Amino acid sequence: MTAETFADWVGRSVTREDVATPRLLAEYRASLHPFLFEAADGESCPPGFHWGLAPTTPAMVDLAEDASEARGLFIPPIPYPRRMWAGGSIETLAPISLNAAIRRVSTIADIQHREGKSGRLYFVSVSHEITSDGVLAVQERQDLVFREEASKTSPGMAAPPNTDGLSWMVTPSPALLFRFSAFTFNGHRIHYDAPFAAQEGYPGLVVHGPLQAALMLNQMAASQGAVPRRFDYRCLAPLFGGPDFHVRTEAAEGGMVTRVIRHDGITTAEGRAHAQGS
């Protein structure tokens, strides 16, 4: 049976507005401290702060059983039940300043159906353009994956040996996962509802893809002394709450690479900052 392409959903767009308020910034800093890069100018918000600005705010009646936004509103009515964050790309073009007026334009850029060893999947790419006081500040692509109930997630690969690069040890406590869900207005129950996560077959609460990306991006900025112009990342294996994990950045060919490394040595996410012209 041929899978639905949902081609008529590509190009659909929604615009939301917000303000980079002191309260939102305080919530972000309080949740991720001390794992943040603070710019020398003292005015620019830390990288990753944009994930809490102008988020999707569905009404209670517009939530799916897993408390994410119901399909068929902005995301097409894909029939596969499992939703995960696969990765993305962030271009930082200008700083976001405190009290700036924020405008986010989100567009469905691509939808692909694939079949492989892990089962049948839909990949949905969403592009975002975020302006701060009328200036384009962030261009982002988010890649989401929707998979069948019976499909398998990747077991992941072991991280390479430790080097002399910057390393952070992070505790994915229930409080941290709840706070990040609240900051991003992400209702997906796998991040804060332990019985639901167990019902879905997970051994613990699931650590958000954007939370891992925010930690990697901040560490990359701390390693370079500045926020990278372009940061590409991908989620490789699931990461769960409980045991500490490491975020590690080191030099690599063509730029730098940062990884999130689970307590068992498996890389769950990887990001790269690219040297100029690469």
Side-chain angles (χ1 to χ4, degrees):
M1 182 176 179
T2 303
E4 170 64 55
T5 64
F6 298 106
D8 57 331
W9 286 77
V10 175
R12 295 195 182 197
S13 182
V14 63
T15 299
R16 301 182 181 90
E17 296 183 347
D18 203 349
V19 175
T21 64
R23 175 177 174 175
L24 275 173
L25 182 56
E27 289 177 356
Y28 186 62
R29 283 181 167 143
S31 299
L32 267 68
H33 178 81
F35 309 115
L36 290 173
F37 172 76
E38 299 287 0
D41 61 16
E43 297 182 2
S44 302
C45 298
F49 177 59
H50 72 278
W51 274 308
L53 298 172
T56 301
T57 55
M60 295 297 292
V61 295
D62 291 328
L63 296 180
E65 182 181 355
D66 64 5
S68 64
E69 183 181 49
R71 319 280 173 81
L73 298 175
F74 177 63
I75 297 296
I78 293 171
Y80 301 162
R82 297 293 183 89
R83 170 178 176 154
M84 298 178 295
W85 195 287
S89 179
I90 302 167
E91 288 188 80
T92 301
L93 308 175
I96 294 175
S97 300
L98 189 62
N99 294 316
I102 303 298
R103 188 170 186 263
R104 176 192 292 263
V105 180
S106 304
T107 305
I108 296 180
D110 190 39
I111 302 174
Q112 297 287 335
H113 183 266
R114 301 178 190 174
E115 296 192 34
K117 293 181 180 179
S118 62
R120 292 184 291 183
L121 308 167
Y122 276 98
F123 286 88
V124 178
S125 292
V126 181
S127 66
H128 302 273
E129 291 191 348
I130 300 172
T131 58
S132 172
D133 282 338
V135 176
L136 182 59
V138 177
Q139 286 186 309
E140 180 183 13
R141 188 195 75 250
Q142 296 174 355
D143 298 325
L144 308 175
V145 61
F146 298 83
R147 64 183 180 89
E148 294 179 295
E149 190 78 38
S151 61
K152 299 179 180 179
T153 57
S154 169
M157 297 181 62
N162 194 10
T163 67
D164 294 331
L166 182 59
S167 181
W168 294 339
M169 185 172 71
V170 182
T171 302
S173 66
L176 172 60
L177 303 190
F178 171 80
R179 278 187 165 200
F180 196 79
S181 289
F183 170 70
T184 57
F185 209 70
N186 179 356
H188 201 177
R189 293 167 64 187
I190 61 174
H191 302 303
Y192 60 87
D193 184 339
F196 181 81
Q199 175 185 314
E200 293 288 286
Y202 297 115
L205 297 175
V206 179
V207 179
H208 316 67
L211 175 54
Q212 296 180 66
L215 290 167
M216 291 192 294
L217 179 56
N218 275 275
Q219 189 178 86
M220 184 71 73
S223 296
Q224 297 186 153
V227 180
R229 170 64 181 261
R230 192 177 99 237
F231 182 74
D232 300 327
Y233 68 95
R234 53 184 182 149
C235 297
L236 303 172
L239 178 64
F240 304 106
D244 295 342
F245 63 86
H246 284 84
V247 185
R248 196 169 76 209
T249 297
E250 58 197 22
E253 184 178 355
M256 302 187 77
V257 61
T258 181
R259 297 180 178 90
V260 174
I261 303 170
R262 214 162 56 191
H263 71 283
D264 58 359
I266 295 298
T267 298
T268 63
E270 182 178 275
R272 289 183 179 271
H274 299 269
Q276 190 71 25
S278 65

